[in-house]
Amino acid sequence: MINNMKSNKQAFQDYLQYEKKYSPHTVNAYLNDLGFFEDFNKERFEQDSIEKVNYSQIRSWIVFLVDQGVSNVSVNRKMASLKAFYKFLLKIKQIEVSPMLKHKALKTPKIVQIPFSEKEVNDLMLDVDAPEGFEEVRDKLIVDLFYATGMRRAELISLMFRNVDLSSNVVKVLGKRNKERIVPLLPIVADQINLYLKEREGLDEIVDSDYFFISKKGLKLSESFVYRLINCYFSRVSEKVKKSPHVLRHTFATHLLNNGADLNSVKELLGHSSLASTQVYTHNSLAELKKVYSDAHPRNK
Protein backbone atom coordinates (compact mmCIF):
# COMPACT_ATOMS: atom_id res chain seq x y z
CA MET A 1 0.00 0.00 0.00
CA ILE A 2 2.87 2.40 0.80
CA ASN A 3 4.46 1.87 -2.61
CA ASN A 4 1.06 2.29 -4.23
CA MET A 5 0.62 5.55 -2.34
CA LYS A 6 3.97 6.78 -3.59
CA SER A 7 3.07 5.92 -7.18
CA ASN A 8 -0.29 7.67 -6.84
CA LYS A 9 1.37 10.77 -5.44
CA GLN A 10 3.84 10.74 -8.32
CA ALA A 11 1.00 10.32 -10.79
CA PHE A 12 -0.83 13.21 -9.09
CA GLN A 13 2.29 15.36 -9.33
CA ASP A 14 2.61 14.58 -13.05
CA TYR A 15 -1.09 15.36 -13.52
CA LEU A 16 -0.75 18.77 -11.86
CA GLN A 17 2.45 19.61 -13.69
CA TYR A 18 1.76 18.35 -17.21
CA GLU A 19 -2.02 18.21 -17.58
CA LYS A 20 -3.12 21.11 -15.36
CA LYS A 21 0.10 22.99 -16.15
CA TYR A 22 0.40 24.39 -12.63
CA SER A 23 3.57 26.24 -11.66
CA PRO A 24 6.28 24.39 -9.66
CA HIS A 25 5.37 26.54 -6.64
CA THR A 26 1.71 25.46 -6.81
CA VAL A 27 2.58 21.79 -7.35
CA ASN A 28 4.89 21.85 -4.32
CA ALA A 29 2.16 23.45 -2.22
CA TYR A 30 -0.27 20.64 -3.11
CA LEU A 31 2.29 17.93 -2.36
CA ASN A 32 3.36 19.56 0.92
CA ASP A 33 -0.27 19.62 2.09
CA LEU A 34 -0.62 15.92 1.25
CA GLY A 35 2.60 15.20 3.12
CA PHE A 36 1.44 17.04 6.24
CA PHE A 37 -1.84 15.13 6.25
CA GLU A 38 0.00 11.87 5.68
CA ASP A 39 2.24 12.56 8.71
CA PHE A 40 -0.77 13.49 10.84
CA ASN A 41 -2.60 10.35 9.79
CA LYS A 42 0.35 8.12 10.68
CA GLU A 43 0.76 9.67 14.11
CA ARG A 44 -2.91 9.99 15.04
CA PHE A 45 -4.41 6.89 13.41
CA GLU A 46 -1.34 4.71 12.75
CA GLN A 47 -2.38 4.49 9.12
CA ASP A 48 0.32 4.59 6.45
CA SER A 49 -1.87 5.51 3.52
CA ILE A 50 -4.23 8.44 3.06
CA GLU A 51 -5.87 6.90 0.00
CA LYS A 52 -8.75 5.31 1.90
CA VAL A 53 -9.33 7.58 4.88
CA ASN A 54 -12.80 8.62 6.02
CA TYR A 55 -14.01 12.14 6.54
CA SER A 56 -13.81 11.90 10.34
CA GLN A 57 -10.04 11.57 9.98
CA ILE A 58 -9.92 14.64 7.77
CA ARG A 59 -12.12 16.51 10.25
CA SER A 60 -9.68 15.56 13.02
CA TRP A 61 -6.91 17.18 11.00
CA ILE A 62 -8.99 20.33 10.54
CA VAL A 63 -9.57 20.54 14.31
CA PHE A 64 -5.84 19.97 14.90
CA LEU A 65 -4.87 22.74 12.45
CA VAL A 66 -7.32 25.23 13.95
CA ASP A 67 -6.09 24.39 17.48
CA GLN A 68 -2.56 25.09 16.24
CA GLY A 69 -3.64 28.59 15.21
CA VAL A 70 -3.70 27.96 11.46
CA SER A 71 -6.01 30.49 9.78
CA ASN A 72 -9.23 29.41 8.11
CA VAL A 73 -7.82 30.59 4.77
CA SER A 74 -4.81 28.28 5.14
CA VAL A 75 -6.98 25.38 6.32
CA ASN A 76 -9.23 25.82 3.27
CA ARG A 77 -6.20 25.76 1.01
CA LYS A 78 -5.04 22.48 2.54
CA MET A 79 -8.52 21.04 2.13
CA ALA A 80 -8.49 22.13 -1.51
CA SER A 81 -5.29 20.11 -1.96
CA LEU A 82 -6.92 17.03 -0.43
CA LYS A 83 -10.04 17.52 -2.54
CA ALA A 84 -7.95 17.72 -5.71
CA PHE A 85 -6.01 14.58 -4.75
CA TYR A 86 -9.11 12.50 -4.07
CA LYS A 87 -10.76 13.81 -7.22
CA PHE A 88 -7.69 12.61 -9.10
CA LEU A 89 -7.90 9.17 -7.42
CA LEU A 90 -11.52 8.96 -8.56
CA LYS A 91 -10.44 9.84 -12.08
CA ILE A 92 -7.88 7.03 -12.21
CA LYS A 93 -10.32 4.65 -10.46
CA GLN A 94 -8.24 4.15 -7.32
CA ILE A 95 -11.22 5.00 -5.09
CA GLU A 96 -14.98 4.87 -5.62
CA VAL A 97 -16.08 7.75 -3.36
CA SER A 98 -14.15 10.84 -2.28
CA PRO A 99 -13.97 11.33 1.51
CA MET A 100 -14.23 15.07 0.73
CA LEU A 101 -17.62 14.68 -0.93
CA LYS A 102 -19.62 16.50 1.75
CA HIS A 103 -16.89 18.81 3.00
CA LYS A 104 -17.75 22.50 3.34
CA ALA A 105 -15.06 25.15 3.48
CA LEU A 106 -14.54 27.10 6.69
CA LYS A 107 -15.92 30.61 6.70
CA THR A 108 -13.36 33.31 6.04
CA PRO A 109 -13.63 37.09 6.25
CA LYS A 110 -13.69 38.88 2.93
CA ILE A 111 -10.43 40.75 2.50
CA VAL A 112 -10.84 43.93 0.51
CA GLN A 113 -7.66 44.90 -1.30
CA ILE A 114 -7.24 48.66 -1.10
CA PRO A 115 -5.56 49.94 -4.26
CA PHE A 116 -3.15 52.84 -4.35
CA SER A 117 -4.78 56.14 -5.25
CA GLU A 118 -3.94 57.90 -8.50
CA LYS A 119 -2.26 60.60 -6.42
CA GLU A 120 -0.02 58.05 -4.67
CA VAL A 121 1.05 56.57 -8.01
CA ASN A 122 1.66 59.99 -9.54
CA ASP A 123 3.62 61.14 -6.47
CA LEU A 124 5.85 58.07 -6.73
CA MET A 125 6.46 58.58 -10.45
CA LEU A 126 7.52 62.16 -9.77
CA ASP A 127 9.77 60.99 -6.94
CA VAL A 128 11.65 58.54 -9.21
CA ASP A 129 11.42 60.64 -12.36
CA ALA A 130 15.14 60.66 -13.21
CA PRO A 131 16.70 57.30 -12.37
CA GLU A 132 20.44 56.88 -12.83
CA GLY A 133 22.41 53.69 -13.37
CA PHE A 134 21.28 50.16 -14.16
CA GLU A 135 19.55 49.34 -10.87
CA GLU A 136 17.58 52.59 -10.54
CA VAL A 137 16.47 52.43 -14.18
CA ARG A 138 15.47 48.76 -13.84
CA ASP A 139 13.58 49.34 -10.60
CA LYS A 140 11.59 52.24 -12.01
CA LEU A 141 10.74 50.19 -15.09
CA ILE A 142 9.46 47.36 -12.88
CA VAL A 143 7.09 49.80 -11.16
CA ASP A 144 6.07 51.28 -14.52
CA LEU A 145 5.42 47.87 -16.08
CA PHE A 146 3.35 46.62 -13.14
CA TYR A 147 1.18 49.72 -13.22
CA ALA A 148 0.97 49.92 -17.03
CA THR A 149 0.20 46.25 -17.73
CA GLY A 150 -1.31 44.74 -14.56
CA MET A 151 1.14 41.83 -14.68
CA ARG A 152 1.37 39.34 -11.84
CA ARG A 153 4.68 39.19 -9.97
CA ALA A 154 5.52 35.72 -11.35
CA GLU A 155 4.70 36.91 -14.89
CA LEU A 156 7.05 39.87 -14.64
CA ILE A 157 9.89 37.81 -13.18
CA SER A 158 9.49 35.15 -15.89
CA LEU A 159 9.13 37.68 -18.73
CA MET A 160 11.37 36.54 -21.57
CA PHE A 161 13.60 38.96 -23.47
CA ARG A 162 12.19 37.80 -26.81
CA ASN A 163 8.62 38.59 -25.71
CA VAL A 164 9.14 42.34 -25.45
CA ASP A 165 8.41 43.75 -28.92
CA LEU A 166 9.23 47.43 -29.19
CA SER A 167 8.56 47.48 -32.94
CA SER A 168 4.86 46.92 -32.16
CA ASN A 169 4.94 48.27 -28.60
CA VAL A 170 3.49 45.10 -27.11
CA VAL A 171 4.60 42.51 -24.59
CA LYS A 172 3.66 38.82 -24.64
CA VAL A 173 2.85 37.65 -21.12
CA LEU A 174 2.85 33.99 -20.09
CA GLY A 175 0.17 33.67 -17.43
CA LYS A 176 -1.30 30.90 -15.32
CA ARG A 177 -1.45 27.44 -16.94
CA ASN A 178 0.87 28.75 -19.71
CA LYS A 179 -1.89 30.92 -21.15
CA GLU A 180 -0.44 33.68 -23.32
CA ARG A 181 -1.83 37.17 -23.72
CA ILE A 182 -0.66 40.26 -25.56
CA VAL A 183 -0.59 43.52 -23.60
CA PRO A 184 0.08 46.90 -25.27
CA LEU A 185 2.84 49.16 -24.01
CA LEU A 186 2.36 52.87 -23.41
CA PRO A 187 4.89 55.04 -25.30
CA ILE A 188 6.26 56.38 -22.00
CA VAL A 189 6.92 52.80 -20.85
CA ALA A 190 8.51 51.92 -24.19
CA ASP A 191 10.90 54.85 -23.67
CA GLN A 192 11.75 53.54 -20.23
CA ILE A 193 12.40 50.08 -21.71
CA ASN A 194 14.85 51.55 -24.23
CA LEU A 195 16.69 53.26 -21.39
CA TYR A 196 16.82 49.98 -19.46
CA LEU A 197 18.14 48.07 -22.49
CA LYS A 198 21.02 50.54 -22.86
CA GLU A 199 21.94 50.10 -19.19
CA ARG A 200 21.55 46.31 -19.50
CA GLU A 201 24.02 46.18 -22.40
CA GLY A 202 26.65 47.75 -20.16
CA LEU A 203 26.67 44.90 -17.64
CA ASP A 204 29.88 42.90 -17.38
CA GLU A 205 28.17 39.52 -17.57
CA ILE A 206 24.63 38.30 -18.22
CA VAL A 207 24.06 34.73 -17.06
CA ASP A 208 20.28 34.49 -17.46
CA SER A 209 20.17 36.30 -20.80
CA ASP A 210 16.79 34.85 -21.82
CA TYR A 211 15.05 36.74 -19.02
CA PHE A 212 14.15 40.39 -19.52
CA PHE A 213 14.68 41.52 -15.93
CA ILE A 214 17.97 40.59 -14.32
CA SER A 215 20.15 41.61 -11.38
CA LYS A 216 23.38 43.58 -11.66
CA LYS A 217 25.16 40.20 -11.67
CA GLY A 218 23.12 39.12 -14.68
CA LEU A 219 20.84 36.70 -12.83
CA LYS A 220 17.06 36.25 -12.95
CA LEU A 221 15.28 38.23 -10.21
CA SER A 222 13.67 36.50 -7.22
CA GLU A 223 10.05 36.92 -6.10
CA SER A 224 11.16 38.23 -2.69
CA PHE A 225 13.33 40.91 -4.31
CA VAL A 226 10.44 42.20 -6.44
CA TYR A 227 8.10 42.19 -3.45
CA ARG A 228 10.58 44.19 -1.34
CA LEU A 229 11.13 46.61 -4.21
CA ILE A 230 7.44 47.50 -4.57
CA ASN A 231 6.99 47.69 -0.80
CA CYS A 232 9.99 49.99 -0.44
CA TYR A 233 9.02 52.30 -3.29
CA PHE A 234 5.39 52.74 -2.25
CA SER A 235 6.38 53.25 1.38
CA ARG A 236 7.61 56.65 0.20
CA VAL A 237 4.13 57.81 -0.78
CA SER A 238 1.60 55.54 0.93
CA GLU A 239 0.74 54.57 4.49
CA LYS A 240 -1.37 51.59 3.42
CA VAL A 241 -0.58 48.41 5.34
CA LYS A 242 -0.34 46.25 2.21
CA LYS A 243 2.10 47.46 -0.43
CA SER A 244 2.79 44.63 -2.86
CA PRO A 245 2.91 43.75 -6.58
CA HIS A 246 -0.60 42.30 -6.23
CA VAL A 247 -1.91 45.60 -4.85
CA LEU A 248 -0.30 47.33 -7.83
CA ARG A 249 -2.07 44.88 -10.17
CA HIS A 250 -5.28 45.65 -8.31
CA THR A 251 -4.53 49.36 -8.72
CA PHE A 252 -4.05 48.97 -12.49
CA ALA A 253 -7.48 47.37 -12.87
CA THR A 254 -9.27 49.78 -10.55
CA HIS A 255 -7.85 52.90 -12.21
CA LEU A 256 -8.79 51.63 -15.67
CA LEU A 257 -12.37 50.99 -14.55
CA ASN A 258 -12.57 54.34 -12.76
CA ASN A 259 -11.54 56.05 -15.98
CA GLY A 260 -14.11 54.35 -18.20
CA ALA A 261 -12.59 51.04 -19.33
CA ASP A 262 -15.11 48.24 -19.83
CA LEU A 263 -14.94 45.10 -17.73
CA ASN A 264 -14.27 42.74 -20.65
CA SER A 265 -11.22 44.71 -21.76
CA VAL A 266 -9.80 44.71 -18.23
CA LYS A 267 -10.47 40.96 -18.03
CA GLU A 268 -8.37 40.37 -21.15
CA LEU A 269 -5.55 42.62 -19.97
CA LEU A 270 -5.39 40.85 -16.61
CA GLY A 271 -5.49 37.38 -18.18
CA HIS A 272 -8.54 36.23 -16.24
CA SER A 273 -10.37 33.18 -17.56
CA SER A 274 -13.78 34.50 -16.49
CA LEU A 275 -15.47 37.79 -15.70
CA ALA A 276 -16.16 36.61 -12.15
CA SER A 277 -12.47 37.05 -11.31
CA THR A 278 -12.44 40.57 -12.71
CA GLN A 279 -15.66 41.74 -11.06
CA VAL A 280 -13.95 42.03 -7.68
CA TYR A 281 -12.35 45.22 -9.02
CA THR A 282 -15.72 46.83 -9.71
CA HIS A 283 -16.22 47.42 -5.98
CA ASN A 284 -13.63 50.17 -6.00
CA SER A 285 -14.94 51.51 -9.28
CA LEU A 286 -18.39 51.72 -7.72
CA ALA A 287 -16.95 53.53 -4.71
CA GLU A 288 -15.37 56.11 -7.02
CA LEU A 289 -18.64 56.46 -8.92
CA LYS A 290 -20.53 57.09 -5.68
CA LYS A 291 -18.02 59.78 -4.70
CA VAL A 292 -18.34 61.53 -8.07
CA TYR A 293 -22.12 61.28 -7.85
CA SER A 294 -22.16 62.66 -4.33
CA ASP A 295 -19.86 65.55 -5.20
CA ALA A 296 -21.64 66.45 -8.42
CA HIS A 297 -25.37 65.98 -7.81
CA PRO A 298 -27.20 69.30 -7.28
CA ARG A 299 -29.40 67.85 -4.52
CA ASN A 300 -26.28 67.18 -2.47
CA LYS A 301 -25.07 70.77 -2.47
Side-chain angles (χ1 to χ4, degrees), residues 31-199:
L31 296 177
N32 285 339
D33 291 337
L34 289 182
F36 289 139
F37 180 53
E38 195 174 5
D39 291 342
F40 173 82
N41 213 46
K42 285 178 183 177
E43 186 175 331
R44 180 67 60 91
F45 300 105
E46 298 181 352
Q47 186 177 354
D48 288 326
S49 171
I50 61 170
E51 290 175 292
K52 295 184 179 179
V53 300
N54 55 53
Y55 185 64
S56 66
Q57 290 169 269
I58 295 172
R59 191 168 55 226
S60 294
W61 191 39
I62 294 173
V63 172
F64 170 78
L65 291 170
V66 172
D67 287 344
Q68 293 295 309
V70 178
S71 71
N72 285 8
V73 172
S74 295
V75 171
N76 285 342
R77 195 209 71 205
K78 294 179 189 301
M79 292 307 109
S81 298
L82 289 189
K83 190 172 184 179
F85 178 63
Y86 291 118
K87 185 177 180 181
F88 172 72
L89 292 184
L90 277 172
K91 182 177 181 179
I92 62 173
K93 296 181 169 50
Q94 290 295 303
I95 60 174
E96 294 181 1
V97 179
S98 169
M100 296 290 291
L101 186 62
K102 296 183 179 179
H103 172 73
K104 292 184 178 180
L106 302 182
K107 289 184 178 180
T108 57
K110 286 189 177 180
I111 300 173
V112 179
Q113 292 280 2
I114 303 175
F116 300 116
S117 67
E118 291 188 34
K119 182 181 185 304
E120 286 173 330
V121 175
N122 289 333
D123 285 349
L124 178 61
M125 295 306 180
L126 288 173
D127 192 39
V128 293
D129 187 45
E132 296 182 358
F134 170 77
E135 290 181 313
E136 284 189 12
V137 170
R138 176 203 61 199
D139 294 353
K140 183 180 187 298
L141 176 57
I142 288 174
V143 177
D144 281 343
L145 211 54
F146 271 135
Y147 182 58
T149 66
M151 280 191 208
R152 299 177 177 94
R153 175 172 53 171
E155 293 170 346
L156 181 134
I157 291 168
S158 299
L159 181 63
M160 307 306 284
F161 195 86
R162 65 178 180 273
N163 289 340
V164 179
D165 183 2
L166 289 178
S167 63
S168 301
N169 271 3
V170 296
V171 57
K172 183 188 291 183
V173 181
L174 188 63
K176 290 184 176 180
R177 304 183 189 180
N178 291 332
K179 183 181 176 183
E180 290 184 346
R181 67 184 187 277
I182 303 295
V183 181
L185 293 170
L186 298 171
I188 192 170
V189 177
D191 291 343
Q192 195 67 23
I193 288 175
N194 278 316
L195 183 59
Y196 167 71
L197 293 178
K198 289 179 183 177
E199 294 289 344

